[in-house]
Amino acid sequence: MDILQMTQKLKGVLKEKRFIHSVNVSKTAAEIAHLFNVDPKKAEIAGLLHDCAKNFDKEVMRYIIIKNNLSKDEIILSEPALYHAVVGEYIARTEYGISDPDILEAIFYHTIGCGDMKPLSCVIYLADLIEPTRNWPEIEELRRLTYEDVNLALIRAFDISIIHVIGKGRAIHPNTIYGRNSFVKKVDMMKLQNLTAK
């Protein structure tokens, strides 16, 4: 299945607003792929499909997760807002013919992140937040940081996600904490290397 066929299929299963978001994430991911030395075509596909299960019924998604043994993670199973990423990875594999492990991982982790995220996962995590239709107080800062320092942008993106989840009174997935901490450590190591190089 080529990207045009994927786009047509996706248009038939997503609500219009979600479809527009997915197309915008796809374009944004392709635009920022070079910042992570990622193939823009892979970024385009991962961005397009990242929310492919978003409009599925919550109970249907939970059933798919349990029936196909996609996750035994207690937090994921107790937070319906996280279902679509897990099911999305499965749908991308089984209905869109995606076998590339980087694309599948980027879809799976686009909501919670993880420690030591692969470059494509980083691209999708950021593209999902900064695509053109997103509009919230910190958006311009995050867009600017993305082009100035991807590591600082990812830390800020995790901060924004964590604050959002806390504001809703929901559980923060440990992977989100691990993800944030891995980039904080990376930035700290780079600062240390710069100091020792002087």
Side-chain angles (χ1 to χ4, degrees):
M1 187 179 291
D2 63 27
I3 195 156
L4 183 59
Q5 291 169 315
M6 290 179 198
T7 304
Q8 288 304 314
K9 182 176 174 65
L10 198 66
K11 191 173 187 179
V13 296
L14 291 183
K15 293 176 182 174
E16 185 180 6
K17 187 176 178 182
R18 184 59 50 183
F19 175 72
I20 291 168
H21 164 71
S22 298
V23 169
N24 283 331
V25 172
S26 178
K27 289 177 181 174
T28 303
E31 285 170 16
I32 67 171
H34 71 280
L35 301 172
F36 295 87
N37 295 315
V38 164
D39 178 349
K41 283 291 176 195
K42 284 173 67 163
E44 188 180 10
I45 292 167
L48 183 68
L49 298 180
H50 81 287
D51 272 352
C52 64
K54 185 73 172 183
N55 293 143
F56 284 27
D57 178 81
K58 298 279 191 285
E59 288 307 312
V60 170
M61 285 195 281
R62 184 177 169 81
Y63 173 78
I64 291 170
I65 291 169
I66 293 168
K67 179 178 183 282
N68 296 285
N69 199 27
L70 303 179
S71 178
K72 292 184 179 178
D73 186 303
E74 289 181 17
I75 294 179
I76 287 175
L77 291 172
S78 67
E79 295 289 342
L82 303 180
Y83 293 172
H84 76 282
V86 177
V87 176
E89 185 269 351
Y90 173 76
I91 295 298
R93 267 191 293 121
T94 59
E95 294 190 18
Y96 290 84
I98 302 299
S99 58
D100 187 302
D102 291 338
I103 294 174
L104 295 172
E105 185 173 294
I107 294 169
F108 189 93
Y109 287 115
H110 85 269
T111 54
I112 59 174
C114 62
D116 300 318
M117 284 170 75
K118 289 184 180 170
L120 183 56
S121 295
C122 294
V123 168
I124 302 307
Y125 194 82
L126 281 175
D128 189 23
L129 292 173
I130 67 169
E131 62 94 348
T133 63
R134 296 291 203 192
N135 185 22
W136 28 272
E138 304 92 342
I139 190 72
E140 291 309 324
E141 176 199 8
L142 189 57
R143 285 180 179 138
R144 177 181 53 78
L145 273 176
T146 298
Y147 287 92
E148 289 178 2
D149 188 319
V150 291
N151 294 310
L152 292 179
L154 283 157
I155 293 169
R156 189 72 185 107
F158 277 112
D159 289 348
I160 291 164
S161 296
I162 290 166
I163 291 164
H164 175 74
V165 173
I166 289 171
K168 290 193 160 204
R170 308 309 303 163
I172 299 169
H173 198 284
N175 280 359
T176 307
I177 305 298
Y178 299 147
R180 182 185 187 278
N181 288 349
S182 70
F183 288 103
V184 169
K185 282 191 275 185
K186 192 172 184 179
V187 168
D188 287 347
M189 284 299 295
M190 289 167 76
K191 285 178 184 173
L192 186 61
Q193 286 169 354
N194 287 339
L195 281 174
T196 55
K198 290 179 181 178

